[in-house]
Amino acid sequence: MSGVRGPGWEAPVTVAELVNAGPLAGARMYGAGENPVRGVRIVDEPSVFATVTPHTAVVLIGTAASGGWAVEMAMRRAWEQAAACVIAPAGGLSEGSGEVLAERLGVTLIFVDEDPLVVAVRVASAASRPDAARTQLVARCATRLAEAGASARRVLGVLNAELPGTSVAFLDRYGATLAGRRDALTDQPTRRETPRAAMGDTSRDKPHEASRDTPLEASRAVSREAPHEGTGETVSAGRSRWSAEVEVPDEEGGVLGTLVAAGSSRSPGWPAVVRTVLELAVAPLTAWAARERLRASRDFALQASLAERLLTEPEPEPELGFDPAPRPQGGVEDTDSARAAAIALGWPIRGPLTAYRIRPLAEPGQAAPVGPGDGPLAYTLITAALGQVPVLTRGDGWAGWSALGPSDLAERLGQALRSMPWPCAGGAGAQVEGLGGLAESLLGAEAAAYVAGGAGVVRRADRMGPAELLGALPTAALRAPAAVVLRPLLAIDRDGTLLETLGAVLDEGGALRAAERLGVHRNTITTRLDRIKSAGFDLDDAPTRLALQLACHVMLR
Amino acid sequence: MILGVALGESAPAVVAVRDGAASWPVPRGVARTASRACVAADLGGVRPAAVAAIRVGGPCPEALRPVVEPGVATIVRGGHSVTGRPLAPLDTEAVRRFAATCGLADFAVTATGSPMLADHELEVAAIVAAEVPQARITLSYEFGYPGLREREADAIRNAALGPEAGRIADDVARELPGVPAYFARTGGGLVSAHYFRRFPLTCDRGAAASLARGRAALRERADAASGGGGDAGPGLAEVPDGVAAAYGAALGRPEAHVERIVLARGRAELDRVLRDARDEALTRVVSAGAAPGSAAIDEITVNPLSYLPDGLYRVRVTAGGRPWAG
Amino acid sequence: MGRLIDRDGLGRFSAGSRLFATGAAQSSYNLAYDWAASVVGPGVELVAAGELAPDTLCVVVSLVGSTTALGEQLPAGDEPERAVRALERRLGERAGAVAALNLAAENALIPLIAAAGLGLPLVDGDGTGRVFPLVEQTTYTLGGMSAAPLALAGGLGELVLLETAADRVEELLRPVVLSVGGWAVAACYPMAARDLARVLVPGTVSLLMRAGEPGAPRSAAAPYGVRTLCRGRIQAVEGSTGHGGELALPSLPSSIVLRESEGLRRLVRLEAHNEIVLALADGAVVATVPDQICMVSTADGMVVDVDKAEPGLEVDIMVVRAAPVWHTDQGLALGGPRAFGITL
């Protein structure tokens, strides 16, 4: 447990704190319970009220608790004296009318089942030593967290159960809720615009950019509103809201996510207590993440290697008739077991298949946004959109195949892309029959993914022509090498006519058609070609011709 | 299709109600295909039968004696106090003598204290039934409320209405063979024909109640239709009272009330007597024509009685249900 | 002198007696009225206490117990006379006038029936100006008069004479009333006319007769003022606790919770113990005994008895100010909130 206490531990406890986490645990409370409790007064008859001071918890006994009328009168007097709350034995007043009056007067009413005198003693001790009461709560939370073990769900369950009037959520580093209560976020105005669905939720249809950026903005908003140690107050809809957050590191010290807590209690000491408890939850969450990652990456690696085997190993000979003899070769058996595992995973391995490819897009001059550790997340998001399909690591992205036709697959791929935290493009290959043709389909998918270019865009190989291929050239990246290749030409080409002529000749496949395109005489083209050849370019050499055509394409675009 | 029927001075008004919408006239052949018929009648003009009234209790001032017009009355010794204590043993011989000599068949029996304890009324009924085998007997405890004279007057009127109510029920059954008949209650709701024959008093002013219900329903439909821009149907002014009452009757559902004075010392005993009262109300509403599965308690009120010892409560239970027919 | 309550006067008197009467079962009122109408004959003489010879023995006659019980178990008819005659025998003196304990519904009519039967005048006034549950909660007690000796006549011919200290009358009376069937007619507070003139709330009989005239405003029955607290709909009727338990008042306390229909829509709670003894609005005390708090149905203008209050009913809550003597320290001690176990 943290030995360092934030400011506010000595602040008076509030009524809600007493009821939900303190000496009144289990009591029934009507009203907001936001008032601080500085003391306790036992009231056995109405005349005592004259000496009740503000912020006192009034405990009714005897005549003062003897019936609905007495409790109602006590609530009225408590309101007049600005008491913190009225604590009455259960059964004195019908809870319905108690609730109505608590609301009308703004006086918190608490029904207790125990002896009110015992309750009074406990409230008095909490009111006089608020830090002790809070320490007790923190100690209890520590025990419960230890019992919960390394499970994000259970840890958040403990936090939400033990921290009264407080909603706690665990967000991943992209801002998606991993566990806990969403209302820990709902009062954050910027978050409310685009609530992020939890991982694996395929129902959302927000544009990719919005879902990626908003949580970042939101977390900035939180820290802006959090002047002290990640806790702070915001005012929304007329109610005072506070929030607290604690960063959870992964086992390597990177950012795993953030624990965010929020509530509307007006207790000055409470956010500091919450923060302390959140800190207690960091270690189990880090442990949980490490274990989950290990398992997920192991699972990802297993399925990826299975998929690779299916692609590379030969398809068994189709059986002709009944063959009771044992199988002669271990290899076939292995292949069969791989197929069995694939079937168990729900993968398509027969019939029409279509390959896909997902390619993360790097910003110019930057490394790919995706690392090797992101495979498990990608696997989750891809299978959430495409169903049970293999996910292979290909380059800096992923590939696999599906039983869906290219059209459906392209649409699902689009969903997968939108759910991903990274900007990605996608491609769908041509439909092929069985695993044997998949290599070809994968090639098409890869090409289509390149052609697609923009974030969230999916292209289909079966709809792709040469123009699309040229259009897919990474112009910006190739411009520098193209300039190097063409430097001798550019050195003599003052007005760019030579480059234009070269491009036209290569594109049109001859001088005659190039002359038509450029609107000049054929002899002019021949003259210019001579000058180009004099610069050292051998247009009869096929590789040179291809390189020049690409270079022209890049330079002229 | 539910048939609504309002009996009046002239020919009965009949409407056919489908999905809450009324249409008329209704050809006889169509009427006979109804799933049920709901009859609204006012019994105010009915010629009362002569009643033999038996009050069980002590002597009283002349002004407080039973009033039977026409008929004969007697007071016999017996009854119970409101706390359930016997006031005197029942004078069975006096009951026998009166029953044997009064020459009437419609009896009304009212015993002091019967809302708490109906033993003496039941005993009188047994004696009367033995003496006059064809007797139709109304027992006041069925009405349940305290106030001997009011309860007695109601028991007498119920007995007086009996023969005519039987005739009305017969007429309806003859006119609509095979169609289950319900009758509109004075305070709203319906009872079965069988219940009506036994407790015609509950339907004494059924037409008035049905008229109010029907008018209100027509107004609502008209409001809804005009608000929704739809067909408002016949204007309110065009709907005569008989047609509105018939419609109101068709909208009703079986209902029954139980009222008792109970003595219960402690919560457990009160719970038990309340359970009994609930059971009775449920039984009664089924008897009044509710489908057994649909019978449910609508309301229950319990008040301690002022100026009496702890544990005496006035209990009123209302039960309702869906008609079993149609 | 010379004023008579005849059949016509009886009609006005009984109508007036119901304007703020609680606890009056319809049945018992009807029978008291029919009974009175059958005995009133040419009329009962109405006299002011001061008009009687100062030494005239005056006897207070009242129904004690439950009106529900009276409505169910009818009187034999001779109860008022038997009670008064028994008291006369005990005192060795003939009564010269009959007075009322209070004038709520049948309690106004029973003394009239007694006076008619005995051929005595009825005194214009009563001992409360309103209704209290206890026989000793009267201005007669406040004036130092004792309810005892008290004669009790039951419906089955029972006759009981109570001779005890003034503050034990109620305690002895209640079990006797229950054992004779829940109601009886009492003849009590025997006193000379000069004492009666000093201790009664005067003129209330004639006041109610005026208030009972057709078209007279309800407030005419409240000589010391009446105010409407609020209009509300009953939400719940609850058993109540915490007051009167040790007081041995008849019946159990109950609590009626209402929500104000308009305006502030306050939560209103009426604490009832036979009568309504306390009214709270949002927990604030807005009326208490000795003033009389009653619920008047907005549907028919009738006073709603505590034991007939039920959820859904809409009522005006009206507060009838009690006679000034009730607001003295002595009066408050006898008929104020503390007398009902309520500490404010």
Side-chain angles (χ1 to χ4, degrees):
Chain A
M1 193 174 94
S2 168
V4 183
R5 289 176 190 160
W9 275 65
E10 312 292 335
V13 293
T14 59
V15 175
E17 231 179 305
L18 288 176
V19 170
N20 294 316
L24 297 179
R28 290 171 309 291
M29 177 173 88
Y30 298 106
E34 291 176 343
N35 294 324
V37 179
R38 295 186 192 277
V40 180
R41 192 65 193 267
I42 296 170
V43 172
D44 58 349
E45 59 165 274
S47 62
V48 179
F49 268 107
T51 57
V52 165
T53 55
H55 303 304
T56 300
V58 172
V59 178
L60 302 180
I61 63 164
T63 322
S66 58
W69 59 281
V71 177
E72 283 188 7
M73 280 168 58
M75 288 178 70
R76 179 75 181 201
R77 296 301 304 274
W79 173 71
E80 287 164 4
Q81 302 290 123
C85 65
V86 172
I87 300 172
L93 172 64
S94 56
E95 306 216 351
S97 51
E99 186 176 4
V100 170
L101 206 53
E103 185 195 321
R104 285 189 62 81
L105 297 176
V107 169
T108 301
L109 173 67
I110 298 161
F111 289 111
V112 293
D113 294 316
E114 293 169 273
D115 180 352
L117 286 174
V118 174
V119 169
V121 171
R122 288 212 304 266
V123 172
S125 117
S128 64
R129 293 279 318 280
D131 56 331
R134 287 172 178 142
T135 302
Q136 227 172 14
L137 168 69
V138 171
R140 190 168 72 234
C141 288
T143 311
R144 296 287 317 278
L145 283 171
E147 289 163 5
S151 152
R153 193 178 51 78
R154 287 203 299 270
V155 164
L156 270 292
V158 167
L159 294 177
N160 278 309
E162 296 290 327
L163 296 176
T166 303
S167 295
V168 187
F170 182 32
L171 311 182
D172 70 10
R173 62 196 157 108
Y174 306 106
T177 309
L178 291 173
R181 290 196 195 146
R182 300 277 286 283
D183 55 355
L185 314 173
T186 47
D187 271 24
Q188 304 292 347
T190 47
R191 284 188 206 274
R192 197 189 294 140
E193 300 297 318
T194 47
R196 264 291 294 216
M199 200 164 79
D201 181 354
T202 60
S203 63
R204 82 200 81 127
D205 53 5
K206 295 281 177 206
H208 174 256
E209 285 78 8
S211 61
R212 181 162 56 96
D213 295 345
T214 308
L216 297 175
E217 270 176 34
S219 60
R220 279 200 299 276
V222 170
S223 55
R224 195 167 57 235
E225 288 155 2
H228 304 298
E229 296 194 83
T231 65
E233 282 205 358
T234 59
V235 176
S236 74
R239 272 181 79 90
S240 166
R241 292 267 321 169
W242 58 268
S243 63
E245 61 176 68
V246 168
E247 205 166 77
V248 179
D250 62 17
E251 73 273 23
E252 283 142 12
V255 178
L256 176 65
T258 312
L259 271 173
V260 180
S264 58
S265 157
R266 204 187 288 275
S267 170
W270 186 241
V273 175
V274 169
R275 196 181 148 72
T276 304
V277 173
L278 293 189
E279 279 165 357
L280 291 176
V282 166
L285 287 176
T286 300
W288 163 79
R291 207 183 62 197
E292 286 296 303
R293 280 185 178 184
L294 196 64
R295 189 167 65 205
S297 63
R298 196 181 60 218
D299 291 351
F300 177 72
L302 278 175
Q303 68 87 32
S305 90
L306 180 65
E308 296 286 4
R309 278 176 62 195
L310 287 171
L311 284 179
T312 52
E313 287 174 11
E315 196 159 1
E317 293 292 321
E319 285 179 27
L320 298 170
F322 178 63
D323 178 14
R327 305 203 173 243
Q329 280 182 323
V332 173
E333 219 167 11
D334 275 3
T335 306
D336 274 5
S337 71
R339 288 170 168 277
I343 290 167
L345 285 170
W347 291 355
I349 55 168
R350 284 184 210 286
L353 303 175
T354 309
Y356 70 85
R357 173 77 160 88
I358 290 173
R359 190 168 66 88
L361 301 171
E363 295 291 318
Q366 302 217 343
V370 178
D374 287 318
L377 174 58
Y379 175 76
T380 305
L381 296 176
I382 291 168
T383 51
L386 268 57
Q388 287 307 316
V389 297
V391 179
L392 297 150
T393 303
R394 278 289 183 275
D396 54 2
W398 306 278
W401 67 88
S402 161
L404 295 170
S407 165
D408 289 343
L409 180 61
E411 193 184 321
R412 299 287 190 87
L413 267 180
Q415 290 175 18
L417 297 188
R418 285 194 291 276
S419 73
M420 287 186 157
W422 321 278
C424 293
Q431 194 167 47
V432 296
E433 193 62 30
L435 290 171
L438 260 181
E440 185 196 327
S441 184
L442 274 168
L443 205 61
E446 172 131 19
Y450 269 93
V451 169
V457 179
V458 178
R459 297 303 296 262
R460 287 168 56 177
D462 59 351
R463 294 280 170 84
M464 223 165 61
E468 274 83 4
L469 181 60
L470 280 180
L473 285 180
T475 314
L478 287 178
R479 190 174 286 270
V484 171
V485 168
L486 293 175
R487 184 176 295 146
L489 178 64
L490 299 176
I492 56 168
D493 186 21
R494 286 191 201 90
D495 57 359
T497 47
L498 291 184
L499 184 65
E500 186 186 39
T501 303
L502 179 61
V505 168
L506 291 170
D507 282 353
E508 301 297 332
L512 193 61
R513 299 226 315 255
E516 275 173 30
R517 181 167 120 186
L518 296 176
V520 296
H521 194 269
R522 183 185 164 219
N523 290 343
T524 310
I525 300 292
T526 309
T527 309
R528 289 180 186 167
L529 278 176
D530 287 342
R531 288 187 64 195
I532 292 166
K533 284 172 183 164
S534 72
F537 296 105
D538 179 4
L539 294 182
D540 295 327
D541 179 49
T544 303
R545 211 166 50 227
L546 175 60
L548 285 176
Q549 188 171 8
L550 285 174
C552 286
H553 193 87
V554 166
M555 294 301 286
L556 289 171
R557 271 248 299 263
Chain B
M1 186 263 291
I2 302 164
L3 211 58
V5 181
L7 302 180
E9 305 280 312
S10 49
V14 181
V15 298
V17 178
R18 290 182 188 82
D19 299 326
S23 63
W24 67 89
V26 187
R28 172 171 298 192
V30 173
R32 289 180 172 178
T33 65
S35 58
R36 62 177 183 266
C38 304
V39 183
D42 270 340
L43 306 180
V46 161
R47 193 174 56 82
V51 172
I54 301 175
R55 179 193 290 179
V56 182
C60 70
E62 190 59 33
L64 307 183
R65 288 184 62 84
V67 179
V68 268
E69 194 60 48
V72 290
T74 186
I75 299 180
V76 303
R77 207 178 57 242
H80 294 83
S81 75
V82 282
T83 55
R85 197 169 52 80
L87 299 173
L90 179 66
D91 187 346
T92 54
E93 190 45 45
V95 173
R96 198 182 321 279
R97 224 171 21 246
F98 177 79
T101 58
C102 68
L104 296 174
D106 292 292
F107 286 81
V109 182
T110 310
T112 303
S114 68
M116 278 65 66
L117 202 61
D119 290 10
H120 283 184
E121 284 188 5
L122 295 168
E123 209 175 323
V124 168
I127 297 168
V128 170
E131 287 296 323
V132 186
Q134 75 281 19
R136 288 178 294 263
I137 308 168
T138 300
L139 301 182
S140 83
Y141 87 96
E142 300 272 14
F143 301 103
Y145 33 82
L148 180 86
R149 294 165 75 231
E150 287 72 16
R151 200 169 68 249
E152 178 179 70
D154 282 352
I156 290 170
R157 175 146 179 83
N158 190 68
L161 292 174
E164 192 69 3
R167 200 188 53 73
I168 292 171
D170 288 345
D171 284 352
V172 171
R174 197 169 42 249
E175 182 60 27
L176 299 168
V179 179
Y182 285 82
F183 288 82
R185 295 174 56 98
T186 299
L190 299 173
V191 296
S192 61
H194 147 83
Y195 198 93
F196 171 71
R197 287 172 191 271
R198 206 167 148 219
F199 300 110
L201 185 72
T202 56
C203 303
D204 202 356
R205 290 186 300 283
S210 298
L211 178 58
R213 170 86 195 262
R215 284 256 177 249
L218 287 169
R219 200 174 306 117
E220 271 170 37
R221 287 185 74 85
D223 289 352
S226 63
D231 177 16
L236 275 181
E238 305 161 32
V239 181
D241 281 0
V243 174
Y247 179 54
L251 299 176
R253 57 173 212 144
E255 228 182 84
H257 302 265
V258 165
E259 181 162 349
R260 287 282 178 271
I261 304 293
V262 299
L263 179 64
R265 305 209 177 273
R267 185 72 219 181
E269 202 177 339
L270 182 61
D271 285 345
R272 190 179 55 72
V273 297
L274 288 182
R275 205 162 48 239
D276 290 351
R278 267 196 292 267
D279 288 349
E280 186 180 341
L282 291 174
T283 310
R284 219 173 244 246
V285 78
V286 170
S287 157
S294 74
I297 300 297
D298 290 338
E299 196 174 343
I300 183 157
T301 16
V302 182
N303 301 72
L305 285 174
S306 295
Y307 296 96
L308 281 170
D310 292 2
L312 270 177
Y313 301 89
R314 178 185 154 90
V315 174
R316 280 158 293 170
V317 186
T318 303
R322 192 165 35 74
W324 62 264
Chain C
M1 298 292 267
R3 288 168 297 167
L4 285 179
I5 304 179
D6 54 10
R7 284 292 286 266
D8 177 54
L10 172 66
R12 286 180 282 127
F13 182 40
S14 62
S17 73
R18 303 192 76 196
L19 290 174
F20 290 115
T22 58
Q26 181 70 35
S27 174
S28 64
Y29 168 80
N30 287 344
L31 82 82
Y33 181 83
D34 289 346
W35 185 8
S38 71
V39 297
V40 75
V44 171
E45 190 186 352
L46 183 66
V47 298
E51 293 171 317
L52 295 164
D55 289 333
T56 309
L57 173 63
C58 299
V59 173
V60 171
V61 175
S62 180
L63 176 75
V64 290
S66 157
T67 53
T68 304
L70 175 65
E72 184 60 31
Q73 187 186 330
L74 303 187
D78 60 355
E79 291 85 355
E81 279 175 68
R82 281 196 290 118
V84 172
R85 293 294 179 220
L87 198 57
E88 288 176 339
R89 282 199 297 279
R90 157 67 184 73
L91 296 168
E93 189 184 351
R94 283 278 169 180
V98 171
L101 195 72
N102 65 59
L103 294 177
E106 50 278 89
N107 271 344
L109 302 177
I110 301 289
L112 184 74
I113 292 165
L118 294 160
L120 296 176
L122 179 70
V123 177
D124 190 2
D126 75 296
T128 63
R130 48 149 301 160
V131 180
F132 281 113
L134 304 184
V135 168
E136 59 224 43
Q137 281 174 314
T138 62
T139 59
Y140 305 146
T141 302
L142 287 176
M145 311 312 295
S146 170
L150 177 149
L152 204 65
L156 293 176
E158 304 93 336
L159 194 58
V160 179
L161 188 75
L162 287 183
E163 183 98 50
T164 181
D167 60 355
R168 292 200 63 206
V169 171
E170 187 71 36
E171 180 190 343
L172 294 170
L173 188 62
R174 184 155 325 106
V176 176
V177 170
L178 288 179
S179 68
V180 300
W183 69 269
V185 173
C188 51
Y189 287 106
M191 59 183 129
R194 73 168 68 79
D195 290 322
L196 182 60
R198 178 173 58 80
V199 300
L200 92 171
V201 183
T204 48
V205 173
S206 43
L207 178 91
L208 292 186
M209 289 177 72
R210 285 194 299 279
E213 278 173 19
R218 185 184 292 268
S219 57
Y224 306 105
V226 61
R227 65 195 159 104
T228 301
L229 212 59
C230 67
R231 171 168 294 194
R233 197 171 290 281
I234 298 178
Q235 308 284 314
V237 180
E238 304 168 352
S240 187
T241 52
H243 59 88
E246 70 286 4
L247 289 173
L249 282 163
S251 185
L252 281 175
S254 60
S255 202
I256 299 160
V257 181
L258 304 95
R259 195 69 186 261
E260 195 173 3
S261 304
E262 294 153 0
L264 297 172
R265 299 195 42 80
R266 291 173 295 182
L267 182 77
V268 177
R269 179 181 287 269
L270 302 177
E271 281 298 300
H273 204 164
N274 302 295
E275 310 289 335
I276 298 168
V277 296
L278 173 72
L280 300 177
D282 279 350
V285 177
V286 286
T288 72
V289 281
D291 291 341
Q292 186 179 350
I293 303 161
C294 35
M295 297 178 283
V296 178
S297 164
T298 58
D300 60 8
M302 297 298 286
V303 175
V304 178
D305 290 347
V306 168
D307 55 19
K308 300 215 180 64
E310 56 186 9
L313 205 63
E314 192 183 54
V315 295
D316 283 325
I317 301 170
M318 305 185 84
V319 181
V320 183
R321 186 160 172 82
V325 66
W326 287 113
H327 286 281
T328 63
D329 286 350
Q330 233 190 332
L332 287 171
L334 187 65
R338 271 184 190 279
F340 293 89
I342 290 186
T343 320
L344 296 179

